[in-house]
Each structure stands twice: as C-alpha cells, then as structure tokens.
Amino acid sequence: RSQSGIQIGPSIRLNEKDVLKIASFYQSIGTLVYVARSIATLYTSDFDAMANLKDWKVLYTGVPIWLFNTGMNPKRARCIRLIMSELGSSFTLWDTIVNGASDVRLPKARHITLKSLETGTVLALKFDDTSATDEFHQYFVKLSCDPRNADLFDIFNAKRRRPVFILRKRKIKKSAISKPSEFNHITKVDEHDRDSLYTYSVLVDDGAIVADDPILIASPYPFNTSKSSYIQCFSNDESIIFSLTIIATMSDMSSTLQSTKDNLIHNESVVLTIPVMFNYSQLHSKIECRSSYHHGQQKYSQLEVFSVAEIPDNSLQSMNALTNQIATIHCLTYGTDVLIHWDFTPDLTKHQFHSLPLGIRITYRFILNDTLIIDHVSFSEHNGYYRCNATNRYLNKIYDDAKIFHLKVEQSSVWIPIVIVCAVTVISILLLILCSKYSRRQRKRLEEKSHPQELPIDQKNVSAYSRSAKSQVSLVSMVKQQMEATVKTTPQFVLGNPFLDPNVQPTPLS
C-alpha cells in the first residue's frame, strides 16, 4: 500500500529522542537494531524500468532500520531485514529480507538501491541527509564483511555453516520475575494523531467513524456525444481514504472505463474523462464511484447514464438517384431511449413536411440507426427532402435533433435507346444491300471472263443495236439523195462558168 499526504517535520536529521523511540520499539533478545539518522523515501520499480527514474513509484516515507536477528533467540530466524518505520508511532510501514543476492549499493549521494527477493522488484531509498545515508550504508557493509555472517551473504555456498549460540537452559520460576522497574514512557498514540499518522487508519478500526458516501458529478449532464464529458468523484471525507475509483462498465461487460487514485485526504477527488463522439448507449445503466478505507469499509455512489438525442452531422446532405433504381438514406443518431421519426416534403421553401411516400421501407442497420430503402425511385413521388427527427425525454424535458436529406431524382430518357436501335437497324440493312450488289457484280465479271462467247444479249442491248442500225441506214439514204441532186444540176452552175449570166438560175433536168 502506498503512502501519500502524511506531513513530515521540517528537520532533516533526527534527534536522539526520535532514534530512541524507534530503537526501543524493535529491540529484543538477540536482535541488533540500527536506526537511520534521517528520513528517507522508498521507491519501487520493476527490473525492466529500473534505469528510468520516471517509472519509479513512491511507496512510503519513514525512517529506515537495519534489524539483525542474530539467531541467539531460537524463536526468531537468523536474518537481516530492512524496515521502514513510521516517524511518530514507530509502526512498521514496510519490510523485506536482505542477503547477498539483494545487491545493496550506494550509486550516488543520498541514494541506496537494492533488490527485493520477496516481491521481485527494485527498491531505492532517497535520504534527506547525506551523512546519514553514508552511515546507514556503512553499517550494512560492516555486517556483510563480518566472517561470522558469511552464511547470510554467501548464499550460493552449500557448505556454509550457521553460528551456534550456547544458551544456558534453566527454568525460571514466576516468583523470580520482579515488577517493572526503571520504566520510562517513550511514546503513545491517541485520537489526535489521526491526521498525522498513516498507520492509524490502517491498524485502528474505529466503529464510531461514520464514512460518508462519495459525491459524483458529471459535466455536461445529461451527456452529449459531441462534447467531452468530465466525471468527477469527491471523497466527501476529511480522513485518509485508501482508494477512490470511478467505474463505467460497458453493456456487454467486455471492457470498462476506469480512473483510480490512492491515499486521498481532505476531500480530494478523481476525474474520468470521456472523449468526443462516444456512444453512451454502450455503457451500463449507471456509473459508479467507490471509496475504500484502510480498515476495509467501502462506500459508493451511482450516476445514471443518460445522453440527449443527437445527430452529430445534421447538415443538409444531397444524394442523386435515377428512376427505377434503389436508393438508401441512413440516419445515425445518439442518445438514450431515442425515438426516430421520418417525414417528407417536395419543396423545402414551404416548410411543410408530410408523411413518407408509398413504397418506402425502414430498416435498422445499427443501434439507433434508421435506413430508408426505396426499391423503385420515381421522380413524381420520391424527388424531394426527407427529414430524420430524433427525440428523447428525461426529467420532463424533451431533447430533439433533426437532419434533412435531399434526394435528387433524374428522369431517364426512354427514346434514346429506341433511336439507337433504329439507327443500327437501318445501317445494317444498307450494308446488306451494298454487299449483295457488290457480290452480284463480282459474280458477273467472273462469268464474262470464263465464257465470253456465250454471254446472252439482253433485250435492252438488242433494241439499242437496232436503233443504231436504223440511224446508219437513214444517214446513207440522205447522202445518196444529195449525190443524185448534184448530178442533175447544169454543168455551168456546177463548174461556175464565168461567161454565163450570174443571174441565171440553173434549171433542173427533165
């Protein structure tokens, strides 16, 4: 058990009276006691972190003592113990056995380090006075160098022998025991030492002490998901409390949020911080604060877990969808016992929301989550604004939040695929026609090359040939008529005789 909050006097080196009080408390037959002349603080750490002073933990503050049981008293085992004694009461705060494996060292001024074989930890004593530290260490060196104590330090030597003490064994009668003499009252402990003595609350179980329940406060409360929460628990007691713990258990009991503080006095407190965006619906119904006292008594207080209805991202969100497609809208909410309600409006400027259109399904995908599913989106029915309303009630006060989703439905053009199909069909027909004509011509050319004399003359070619023959015959007949006309004219006219009268016209021959 660690110790804190005990006020030690400002004196660095102890006076002889304090040393006598502690030495008288531990002296007995066959025991050697050496009390340090200074107060020291005991630190502990494990072997992995012994080199890092930041990882050292404070255990107790008191007066170190070397207690050497020499073995002369057969009722006490032979050993050397390091004891931390409380200044004022001389009660033992902590002790451990020291031997050759403890590796007691003086690494630097005012510091003594050793290993605790009982707990498997590394210990460090930090003294207030340098000379007292050296004296305390030199006493241990003196014990370790004494050949009579080789059995305590040469622990790996199987042949070591313990010293034998011969005591006179004789029976003592009761009548031979005298009354106490030279009695000197050295120390005492009473009710006024409650605040100054740590061991008072540990060893004294005072039934008249009535412990108060701790006070548990949260800010903000009710809890808000979008803000950090600070849960503070006050001990509500002026006396020393062993530990004060805040416990927030998850609903599935898989994990726990916890904050603990040990050895509190004068109404101290402990704080548990819950981060932003924490889902308080995952916590158990109540958060608990427990205060434990050294004599075993426990007190606790509880705080009900209640968070307001909230949609963290409540800004307007837009989504696009095509007709006859599936559209989904998710609304995630936080809070305790939240009710979710949906409504719809095609025009947001009118500020009038109505019930949802037909053909919409609502499913629950997560905790406190609604999902709208529209299997066949229609522009005339589903294009518009959808509002998700989250509400809950606590202590006759209603908490609500809302978020609006804008669903943009785009009309699909049906005539575009029809036009594409028609165009493809027409192009295919034209390609078939061109291909057929081309193949026909190629076939005719091949036939003409293989059988040129047997090519048939069609009717059109014959008619063309007949017309050309008739035109040639008519041309020949016209030439003949002109030739006959020239033969029948007079020679004078034909030859152009200049002796004839130029006005004379040629007469046709009869």
Side-chain angles (χ1 to χ4, degrees):
R1 294 178 179 178
S2 61
Q3 176 194 28
S4 64
I6 303 301
Q7 301 295 329
I8 305 297
S11 176
I12 296 178
R13 192 170 180 88
L14 300 182
N15 53 36
E16 293 300 326
K17 184 179 179 180
D18 293 331
V19 173
L20 180 60
K21 286 181 180 180
I22 299 174
S24 302
F25 190 87
Y26 292 96
Q27 283 179 348
S28 62
I29 298 177
T31 301
L32 299 180
V33 178
Y34 181 83
V35 181
R37 267 55 177 176
S38 172
I39 295 174
T41 303
L42 179 64
Y43 297 85
T44 182
S45 180
D46 53 18
F47 289 100
D48 296 332
M50 61 182 178
N52 188 358
L53 295 179
K54 294 183 179 178
D55 294 332
W56 292 84
K57 180 182 178 182
V58 178
L59 284 184
Y60 298 101
T61 299
V63 181
I65 300 173
W66 291 122
L67 179 62
F68 181 25
N69 291 321
T70 60
M72 185 178 295
N73 188 347
K75 295 184 179 180
R76 290 191 177 94
R78 175 177 168 82
C79 66
I80 299 176
R81 304 188 72 89
L82 175 62
I83 299 176
M84 289 295 292
S85 176
E86 184 180 31
L87 181 63
S89 67
S90 302
F91 292 141
T92 300
L93 297 173
W94 175 91
D95 69 325
T96 185
I97 297 177
V98 180
N99 53 26
S102 299
D103 193 17
V104 179
R105 297 183 182 183
L106 184 66
K108 61 180 182 178
R110 298 170 51 210
H111 289 78
I112 294 179
T113 60
L114 68 156
K115 299 176 183 178
S116 176
L117 303 180
E118 296 175 339
T119 59
T121 57
V122 181
L123 304 172
L125 286 171
K126 182 179 180 182
F127 290 79
D128 292 345
D129 185 69
T130 304
S131 60
T133 308
D134 297 335
E135 295 170 1
F136 192 75
H137 182 259
Q138 286 299 324
Y139 184 83
F140 178 79
V141 173
K142 181 180 177 181
L143 293 178
S144 62
C145 295
D146 192 340
R148 295 175 295 180
N149 301 329
D151 60 309
L152 298 177
F153 295 95
D154 192 9
I155 59 175
F156 299 103
N157 186 4
K159 297 182 180 180
R160 66 183 186 276
R161 296 181 179 180
R162 296 184 178 181
V164 178
F165 297 94
I166 301 176
L167 299 178
R168 292 182 301 172
K169 297 182 179 179
R170 64 175 183 175
K171 294 182 178 180
I172 300 176
K173 296 181 179 179
K174 187 176 181 181
S175 59
I177 302 174
S178 65
K179 295 182 179 180
S181 60
E182 298 182 2
F183 176 78
N184 185 13
H185 188 88
I186 297 176
T187 184
K188 67 174 183 177
V189 176
D190 55 19
E191 181 69 21
H192 300 288
D193 298 324
R194 172 185 296 275
D195 296 334
S196 60
L197 297 179
Y198 168 74
T199 55
Y200 188 95
S201 59
V202 177
L203 302 177
V204 179
D205 187 6
D206 191 355
I209 300 177
V210 179
D212 296 325
D213 295 334
I215 300 175
L216 196 57
I217 301 175
S219 178
Y221 189 78
F223 300 112
N224 197 324
T225 302
S226 60
K227 299 180 181 179
S228 297
S229 297
Y230 301 94
I231 305 173
Q232 189 172 12
C233 181
F234 295 89
S235 60
N236 195 25
D237 200 328
E238 295 295 331
S239 61
I240 301 176
I241 295 179
F242 176 65
S243 67
L244 191 64
T245 306
I246 300 177
I247 301 175
T249 308
M250 296 294 181
S251 299
D252 54 358
M253 304 298 175
S254 59
S255 59
T256 301
L257 302 178
Q258 184 172 329
S259 179
T260 305
K261 191 174 182 180
D262 298 333
N263 296 308
L264 298 89
I265 60 173
H266 303 302
N267 196 21
E268 291 187 79
S269 64
V270 61
V271 179
L272 175 64
T273 303
I274 299 180
V276 182
M277 301 306 299
F278 181 80
N279 189 2
Y280 291 91
S281 301
Q282 299 177 358
L283 291 180
H284 196 260
S285 59
K286 293 182 180 180
I287 298 176
E288 189 173 271
C289 179
R290 301 174 184 175
S291 58
S292 300
Y293 293 82
H294 292 281
H295 50 75
Q297 187 178 6
Q298 287 190 358
K299 291 290 184 176
Y300 66 91
S301 298
Q302 292 181 337
L303 179 67
E304 185 177 358
V305 177
F306 189 89
S307 58
V308 300
E310 185 179 8
I311 304 176
D313 183 14
N314 55 6
S315 59
L316 179 63
Q317 183 177 354
S318 298
M319 296 174 293
N320 298 327
L322 296 175
T323 55
N324 297 325
Q325 287 187 347
I326 298 177
T328 58
I329 303 175
H330 302 286
C331 180
L332 179 62
T333 63
Y334 292 91
T336 305
D337 300 331
V338 176
L339 298 177
I340 302 177
H341 173 69
W342 290 87
D343 47 18
F344 169 79
T345 180
D347 189 1
L348 190 61
T349 58
K350 295 181 179 180
H351 302 286
Q352 293 181 356
F353 285 85
H354 310 284
S355 59
L356 292 175
L358 299 176
I360 296 180
R361 295 184 290 116
I362 301 178
T363 61
Y364 300 93
R365 188 174 181 181
F366 304 106
I367 300 175
L368 301 178
N369 174 274
D370 264 5
T371 302
L372 295 185
I373 300 178
I374 307 174
D375 295 322
H376 300 283
V377 177
S378 172
F379 177 81
S380 59
E381 295 182 359
H382 304 129
N383 183 58
Y385 299 86
Y386 296 81
R387 185 173 63 180
C388 176
N389 302 279
T391 59
N392 62 354
R393 187 184 185 93
Y394 180 70
L395 296 177
N396 296 326
K397 185 176 181 180
I398 298 177
Y399 302 91
D400 57 354
D401 200 357
K403 181 177 182 179
I404 298 178
F405 302 85
H406 182 203
L407 181 61
K408 298 179 181 179
V409 181
E410 299 179 0
Q411 294 181 347
S412 60
S413 302
V414 182
W415 57 272
I416 293 179
I418 297 175
V419 171
I420 294 174
V421 172
C422 294
V424 172
T425 305
V426 171
I427 292 173
S428 301
I429 294 173
L430 291 176
L431 289 175
L432 289 174
I433 294 173
L434 293 176
C435 291
S436 62
K437 287 185 178 183
Y438 178 77
S439 60
R440 193 182 303 167
R441 288 181 182 179
Q442 290 295 108
R443 189 168 58 253
K444 285 183 180 182
R445 288 179 182 179
L446 293 174
E447 290 177 355
E448 288 177 356
K449 289 181 181 181
S450 59
H451 304 288
Q453 69 278 8
E454 297 179 0
L455 289 174
I457 302 175
D458 54 357
Q459 192 66 26
K460 293 182 180 180
N461 293 334
V462 172
S463 60
Y465 293 154
S466 60
R467 286 194 299 270
S468 61
K470 289 180 181 181
S471 61
Q472 292 178 1
V473 172
S474 61
L475 180 60
V476 172
S477 62
M478 289 175 64
V479 172
K480 286 183 178 181
Q481 290 178 4
Q482 289 181 1
M483 291 178 62
E484 290 177 356
T486 55
V487 172
K488 290 181 180 183
T489 58
T490 59
Q492 297 82 0
F493 179 79
V494 174
L495 296 176
N497 191 354
F499 298 100
L500 295 179
D501 188 2
N503 297 322
V504 178
Q505 299 290 333
T507 59
L509 296 179
S510 58

